[in-house]
Amino acid sequence: MAFIVDENGEITMVQGDSGELVVTGLPTDKNYKVYFAIQDKDRNPVGDELSIDSNQSSSVVFALTGNLTDLLEVDKKSKNTKYYYGVKVCSSTDSTEDTVILGNGEIGSLNSITVYPRKVKGI
């Protein structure tokens, strides 16, 4: 499977492949709704946001399907194309929303997805 996530949350993958993104270090004091979204270089959303309930766990797993990653197109003149993603933790009980900083990042840092062109169409 060509879907690699490093210790800083940077993803390297082949367009159309599926994989999992594990987000750890979440607060466990309540059941949070955790969101995941992808953007292109111009901050345009790519696909729909994903969401999952934390169930008071310190980690969640987002399943990135081939249908979603198929939307991550690679410019035919480029070796690869970079996209960016974010994760947000929300609570409806007290209306809090916090963007999750992954890896060694800081506010303003971008978590990237480096996408290489599809080699085989598949299912």
Side-chain angles (χ1 to χ4, degrees):
M1 171 179 6
F3 192 100
I4 301 164
V5 183
D6 73 13
E7 65 278 355
N8 290 317
E10 304 300 320
I11 300 171
T12 304
M13 59 166 297
V14 173
Q15 179 189 13
D17 281 6
S18 58
E20 295 182 340
L21 175 64
V22 179
V23 178
T24 60
L26 302 174
T28 58
D29 58 321
K30 58 183 107 172
N31 182 25
Y32 288 92
K33 179 77 78 175
V34 185
Y35 294 88
F36 170 88
I38 300 173
Q39 296 179 340
D40 66 16
K41 64 180 175 56
D42 297 318
R43 297 187 196 169
N44 297 310
V46 177
D48 294 327
E49 281 191 2
L50 304 178
S51 67
I52 190 168
D53 290 323
S54 69
N55 295 318
Q56 294 183 290
S57 175
S58 64
S59 65
V60 295
V61 178
F62 285 101
L64 306 184
T65 66
N67 287 337
L68 174 61
T69 67
D70 199 41
L71 301 173
L72 305 176
E73 297 179 353
V74 179
D75 184 322
K76 294 190 186 313
K77 297 176 185 175
S78 301
K79 179 179 175 183
N80 59 54
T81 300
K82 278 211 189 282
Y83 290 84
Y84 303 94
Y85 73 92
V87 176
K88 185 173 264 197
V89 176
C90 301
S91 169
S92 60
T93 57
D94 61 5
S95 299
T96 60
E97 295 191 31
D98 290 314
T99 299
V100 176
I101 308 294
L102 300 173
N104 296 322
E106 54 189 47
I107 291 179
S109 63
L110 299 173
N111 290 100
S112 68
I113 305 173
T114 302
V115 182
Y116 286 86
R118 168 191 6 254
K119 295 181 180 20
V120 177
K121 176 68 175 160
I123 55 175

